[in-house]
Amino acid sequence: MTAKYPSARRRLPASALTLSFLLALGATPAFAAEASADGAGDDAASAAVEAAGAADAAGQFDDDVSRGDVIIVTARRRQETAQEVPVAISVIRGDSIEATGNFNVVKLQQLAPTLQVYTSNPRNTSVNIRGLGVPFGLTSDGFEQGVGIYVDDVYNSRVAAATFDFLDVEQVEVLRGPQGTLYGKNTTAGAINITSNQPTFDFEGRAEVSVGNLRYRQAKAAISGPLSDKIAARVAIAATSRRGTLFNTTSDRWINEQDNLGLRGQLLFQPNDDLSITLSGDYSKQDPEGFGTAFVRVGPTQRALARQYDGLVAAYNAANPTRPYAVPSRNVYDRLTDIDASLNAGNKIGGASLRVKWDVGPGTFTSITAWRFWDWKPENDRDFTGLSIVSKSQNPSQQDQYSQEFRYNYEGDRVDFVVGLFGFKQRVDTQGTEQQGADASRWSLTGAQAGIPSILEGLTATNTQYLKSTSAAAYGQLSWKVTDALTIQPGLRLNYDKKTGFYQRIVTNGAGQVLNCTPIPPATSLPAGSVLAAQCGVYQPQLTQPSVSDWNFSYDLNVNYKVARDILAYATYAKSFKTVGINQNGLPLNADNTPNLDASTVKPESVNHYEVGLKTQFLDRRATFNLSAFRTEIKNFQATVNGGQFGTVRGYLANAEKVRSQGIEADFKIVANDRLTAYANGAYTDAKYKKFTNAPCPPELSGGTFQPANAAPDYSQPGVPGALSPRQCDISGQRLPGVSKWAFSYGAEINAPLELLAKEGQLYFGVDGNYRSHWNSNASPSIYTEVKGYALTNFRVGFRSDGVDVFGWVRNAFDVNYIELLQVAPGNTGLIAGTPGDERTWGGTTKFSF
């Protein structure tokens, strides 16, 4: 029997909503119902029982509903209860996101220990799971994301979407491990699935206002209801603003602000119970002055002392005694910077989608058609100092993407399956400019040339580039119930990708003349000490037109066994891939200064993933404990390589021979009673380069001779080991950047009945926190970019009753000093800049709903 569901979600009784909210604070590891649009109205229990499709599931659902802790999930593209899904997943409900102040994916890692998100600006954002996903460093358009970001089933190819505020979100699911046989776009590390609240045929609305220190202001509102008996609509808006967290002594203002606005509208047409059509549109923008960095430290390199940061500053001050240079503070937690280039982070993203769901016989046909755009207008200070070394650095981009997915789900007594087709087309255009400033010669040249500003001042590299990307896939997964306890679940995927790129860099000097750095044999190369040689040593004209296509076949197998009514064991093997990539930021140079065309394309990653897990319920199902262990091995890992020189190459992709990530994850929650709930999640992740012999050298080894793996440089005599700067080092055995070995999150809430202003409700107190052990913030781990571990604690206290919730909050309550990201300044001078994490913040929130 196949149940029919109305596509508009009906509201549960207030008591069930209250208990569901308490459970949500436990960040239950389960996958959310697809778009949460398939709810069951007032008779929620009976519909969900039919969806689960088993007699014992009916009993379980009835028991769970009485405590409000059931979550219907579609991890395998069909409705099931959370603990029946043999997949490692964390779910954070919308109310929990709001209560804990985690308003975007970047902040979400505080609730999901296996998620790592780091950003120096929206474009250069890394979203990883278990240490895997994207190369750590400057972003290139030419590679795929290892962690897919989906909003209402629509794939977002630009990771910039992670920096926007959540907009009318019902819940967020973090899936760990390869996802390819059930999702349109293949991802090797996992997926973040964001589900928004859907239109309803019951009139409802909500509004929320928050204020806090740092001039924090946030407002959200949503309204939903019927336009007729067959058409419903929903509209939502959210706006956030906050003063910056770094004070720029050069511009005399705070930078790194929050300035976000988001809009979403949805229209649902439901002519009958078998068919629903949803048209959605959204638009979000950010326009802060950001994102700048502050001085963190200087570390010795292998360069000559005069060519390291402190030596260069001393030489500058000797030449400019009337205006000597010094950073405003060498303590990053003073939150002072003096960067002098213009800053901007204009960021717009949006699009439209059409989703059709049609119950056909024993299954459901789904079509998702989508268009999305991204418009990025940055301005950066790439030298990280108050000196005019790089006076302009910007790479504005415009992207359009189109996707179409067809999917059919079949549900039977013993066999369920899903099959799908996915098509994707993308174009990204970028117009980049980088320009040398008045102090560039002092910083980048030697001898007499260092004292002649005109050699490099105004030297400009202008690049024009585009990427055309097309992919298509057929995928499917079968679930065979061998017995009532044993299920075997194989899946297959066939994938085709084609990428075509164009990159042209034109170099002009301060007088606007186009430079001709035509490569010539070394024996007749440009004379040493010539102005043209100096200029071409900083920026080289380049033209590349890479093109590549590739087919990939992947598969997975899951076997799960219901050991007892409340114990599920599972094992998974997945053979996956990340498709071929191209280099879009320019190529490294050969010895004769010609582009190394062999680096135009990057081999696809080959992934072998193994995982076992256990899902349990106990204490009359008031508690759950889930455990998973995994090992992921990747050949030809796509990594970022950057020699650290000013302007020559922003960073390009190369293949590390082998990477391995393994670990153990645990999730526990308990709903002790209607008054107390708690959760604790933890992860141990051991992620490292098993073999990477051509990696970029860390700053402590720059300027010296080649160093073998794990070599300990001699810092007692900087500059002595050698005069030539090696381009590559062997970092085999080093840990992957951006991932802590240990990560934990926890939370609890207790409430008591209270009558306030003639309203019956609850007085509640909540606490949540997270801990991350130390991690490294450079593509090649460096002793200078090691980020210390830290623990953050948040509190909230408030009163809620039917339709009203008022609470005060304090985040980072103990005002812990911690670093969000460290960056190695270009030029291999030993300068390290970074972004301190938020200081203690506090405020209040008022929410109304009807």
Side-chain angles (χ1 to χ4, degrees):
M1 175 180 180
T2 301
K4 312 295 185 185
Y5 311 105
S7 293
R9 182 174 57 89
R10 312 292 184 176
R11 288 179 294 170
L12 292 173
S15 58
L17 285 175
T18 300
L19 289 173
S20 296
F21 170 72
L22 288 175
L23 173 69
L25 295 172
T28 311
F31 193 97
E34 183 172 0
S36 294
D38 293 328
D42 294 333
D43 194 15
S46 61
V49 168
E50 287 183 317
D56 64 335
Q60 175 181 339
F61 188 87
D62 289 335
D63 291 345
D64 289 343
V65 155
S66 67
R67 294 189 296 274
D69 61 352
V70 70
I71 298 178
I72 297 299
V73 301
T74 57
R76 295 182 290 182
R77 298 301 193 185
R78 61 180 183 274
Q79 294 185 336
E80 304 167 283
T81 57
Q83 291 299 105
E84 291 178 326
V85 179
V87 181
I89 314 171
S90 298
V91 169
I92 301 95
R93 302 295 294 270
D95 284 341
S96 182
I97 291 169
E98 294 170 357
T100 56
N102 295 281
F103 52 82
N104 60 22
V105 173
V106 177
K107 297 293 185 182
L108 200 64
Q109 61 182 327
Q110 296 184 10
L111 295 176
T114 55
L115 180 66
Q116 302 94 34
V117 188
Y118 306 106
T119 178
S120 58
N121 60 48
R123 174 183 167 88
N124 291 311
T125 299
S126 299
V127 179
N128 287 349
I129 293 175
R130 296 169 170 172
L132 305 175
V134 296
F136 203 86
L138 293 175
T139 298
S140 170
D141 295 326
F143 66 89
E144 303 289 334
Q145 304 297 320
V147 176
I149 298 178
Y150 295 84
V151 180
D152 291 339
D153 272 348
V154 176
Y155 173 72
N156 284 249
S157 67
R158 303 310 307 188
V159 75
T163 68
F164 283 102
D165 288 359
F166 290 134
L167 182 58
D168 197 25
V169 165
E170 177 162 8
Q171 59 190 17
V172 178
E173 304 89 27
V174 180
L175 291 81
R176 283 114 66 180
Q179 307 294 324
T181 62
L182 284 172
Y183 279 80
K185 191 67 174 176
N186 185 66
T187 54
T188 56
I192 298 173
N193 195 51
I194 301 170
T195 303
S196 65
N197 290 305
Q198 299 296 296
T200 61
F201 283 97
D202 292 330
F203 186 65
E204 66 178 34
R206 62 190 298 270
E208 174 184 329
V209 176
S210 299
V211 296
N213 65 331
L214 306 184
R215 297 200 299 272
Y216 174 72
R217 304 289 186 271
Q218 186 176 73
K220 300 179 181 180
I223 190 168
S224 180
L227 301 181
S228 70
D229 60 346
K230 298 184 184 300
I231 300 175
R234 188 178 190 97
V235 178
I237 184 171
T240 304
S241 65
R242 193 180 76 172
R243 192 207 75 190
T245 54
L246 288 179
F247 187 77
N248 190 347
T249 60
T250 299
S251 63
D252 196 33
R253 64 165 293 171
W254 292 92
I255 63 171
N256 296 4
E257 310 159 316
Q258 291 177 17
D259 185 3
N260 305 338
L261 174 67
L263 302 167
R264 176 186 294 275
Q266 299 173 88
L267 195 65
L268 168 67
F269 174 53
Q270 185 181 320
N272 53 58
D273 287 348
D274 293 335
L275 178 65
S276 67
I277 302 172
T278 304
L279 176 65
S280 301
D282 67 279
Y283 172 81
S284 296
K285 74 170 185 175
Q286 298 172 326
D287 194 22
E289 182 169 343
F291 289 87
T293 58
F295 178 98
V296 176
R297 65 175 65 99
V298 172
T301 74
Q302 298 295 301
R303 304 181 81 188
L305 288 175
R307 304 305 303 155
Q308 299 186 45
Y309 176 82
D310 289 328
L312 289 167
V313 170
Y316 172 88
N317 290 341
N320 299 274
T322 60
R323 52 183 184 94
Y325 176 73
V327 294
S329 175
R330 290 204 165 206
N331 180 359
V332 67
Y333 299 115
D334 287 339
R335 301 178 186 274
L336 296 175
T337 187
D338 64 347
I339 51 181
D340 62 326
S342 298
L343 293 179
N344 187 33
N347 195 18
K348 298 178 182 178
I349 197 166
S353 65
L354 181 68
R355 181 174 57 193
V356 179
K357 299 186 72 173
W358 182 23
D359 286 347
V360 184
T364 300
F365 171 80
T366 303
S367 170
I368 304 159
T369 307
W371 160 74
R372 298 203 62 76
F373 73 89
W374 178 60
D375 188 3
W376 170 232
K377 294 182 178 179
E379 292 180 276
N380 305 297
D381 192 324
R382 284 291 297 145
D383 59 51
F384 302 157
T385 74
L387 297 172
S388 183
I389 304 168
V390 179
S391 60
K392 181 183 292 186
S393 179
Q394 55 196 46
N395 277 269
S397 296
Q398 306 83 42
Q399 181 228 229
D400 281 284
Q401 70 167 68
Y402 304 87
S403 60
Q404 174 64 58
E405 183 172 6
F406 297 112
R407 191 169 65 233
Y408 183 75
N409 298 65
Y410 170 84
E411 296 183 40
D413 293 335
R414 287 292 179 184
V415 174
D416 302 332
F417 67 82
V418 57
V419 292
L421 296 173
F422 178 76
F424 178 82
K425 189 176 183 64
Q426 174 191 39
R427 173 158 181 150
V428 184
D429 289 277
T430 301
Q431 311 83 36
T433 303
E434 188 165 297
Q435 186 175 80
Q436 298 287 290
D439 302 316
S441 292
R442 177 70 58 187
W443 210 258
S444 302
L445 304 181
T446 59
Q449 287 186 333
I452 308 175
S454 61
I455 294 179
L456 294 185
E457 185 175 7
L459 184 70
T460 303
T462 303
N463 71 77
T464 302
Q465 57 178 295
Y466 67 76
L467 167 73
K468 296 178 181 179
S469 178
T470 303
S471 65
Y475 63 89
Q477 191 175 93
L478 174 74
S479 182
W480 174 34
K481 302 178 183 67
V482 181
T483 69
D484 291 341
L486 176 64
T487 300
I488 299 176
Q489 181 179 299
L492 299 173
R493 180 184 185 90
L494 180 64
N495 205 92
Y496 172 77
D497 288 277
K498 181 178 181 179
K499 290 183 171 66
T500 302
F502 174 86
Y503 178 90
Q504 183 177 34
R505 183 166 59 216
I506 297 174
V507 181
T508 56
N509 61 20
Q513 299 171 325
V514 176
L515 298 191
N516 181 10
C517 300
T518 303
I520 48 184
T524 57
S525 61
L526 292 168
S530 75
V531 170
L532 185 58
Q535 293 170 337
C536 291
V538 175
Y539 294 137
Q540 282 259 342
Q542 192 171 122
L543 174 64
T544 60
Q545 301 182 66
S547 182
V548 67
S549 63
D550 195 32
W551 287 89
N552 294 97
F553 176 73
S554 58
Y555 53 90
D556 57 39
L557 177 65
N558 176 280
V559 178
N560 59 88
Y561 186 77
K562 205 162 189 178
V563 180
R565 184 168 179 255
D566 293 328
I567 302 176
L568 177 70
Y570 65 89
T572 299
Y573 168 73
K575 176 65 175 178
S576 188
F577 70 96
K578 183 194 287 187
T579 192
V580 67
I582 61 174
N583 272 304
Q584 278 294 100
N585 291 336
L587 299 178
L589 303 178
N590 296 315
D592 63 352
N593 285 336
T594 59
N596 180 5
L597 297 180
D598 291 339
S600 295
T601 61
V602 187
K603 296 177 184 178
E605 293 182 355
S606 177
V607 181
N608 285 287
H609 174 77
Y610 311 85
E611 186 160 345
V612 294
L614 194 66
K615 291 194 169 186
T616 70
Q617 297 180 92
F618 52 98
L619 296 180
D620 194 25
R621 293 185 175 155
R622 294 192 304 272
T624 63
F625 178 73
N626 298 332
L627 190 67
S628 60
F630 68 91
R631 181 182 176 95
T632 305
E633 299 173 346
I634 302 178
K635 293 182 179 179
N636 294 321
F637 180 79
Q638 294 173 358
T640 299
V641 174
N642 192 327
Q645 300 299 316
F646 277 112
T648 303
V649 179
R650 291 185 68 246
Y652 64 97
L653 293 176
N655 291 111
E657 292 92 330
K658 189 173 183 180
V659 158
R660 187 261 293 143
S661 177
Q662 62 186 13
I664 299 175
E665 301 159 346
D667 302 277
F668 169 78
K669 75 163 175 61
I670 183 169
V671 181
N673 50 49
D674 290 353
R675 303 298 174 204
L676 175 64
T677 185
Y679 71 90
N681 306 320
Y684 169 79
T685 308
D686 177 21
K688 63 176 58 177
Y689 297 108
K690 292 293 289 183
K691 186 178 182 182
F692 194 6
T693 56
N694 62 338
C697 293
E700 57 265 37
L701 297 183
S702 65
T705 55
F706 179 86
Q707 296 285 339
N710 302 311
D714 179 7
Y715 299 113
S716 61
Q717 295 180 306
V720 171
L724 298 177
S725 177
R727 296 187 179 186
Q728 298 173 340
C729 286
D730 184 311
I731 61 170
S732 303
Q734 298 284 343
R735 288 170 53 192
L736 286 180
V739 58
S740 300
K741 273 195 173 183
W742 297 97
F744 302 96
S745 65
Y746 67 90
E749 184 179 288
I750 188 169
N751 70 75
L754 176 69
E755 183 174 329
L756 183 64
L757 301 177
K759 274 186 165 293
E760 292 186 358
Q762 296 175 342
L763 175 68
Y764 63 90
F765 170 79
V767 58
D768 63 90
N770 69 98
Y771 166 78
R772 290 184 180 272
S773 63
H774 67 94
W775 55 280
N776 209 281
S777 185
N778 192 47
S780 293
S782 166
I783 58 176
Y784 306 144
T785 55
E786 191 77 6
V787 178
K788 293 181 180 179
Y790 58 87
L792 304 179
T793 307
N794 312 311
F795 298 104
R796 62 189 178 277
V797 59
F799 172 80
R800 58 172 168 251
S801 65
D802 188 22
V804 178
D805 189 358
V806 181
F807 63 96
W809 44 264
V810 57
R811 293 161 191 154
N812 189 9
F814 301 114
D815 203 18
V816 173
N817 287 330
Y818 67 103
I819 293 292
E820 288 189 341
L821 188 71
L822 294 177
Q823 299 181 70
V824 178
N828 287 326
T829 66
L831 172 62
I832 307 296
T835 308
D838 285 354
E839 58 192 281
R840 179 194 294 121
T841 57
W842 48 266
T845 299
T846 300
K847 299 195 291 186
F848 299 94
S849 62
F850 58 88

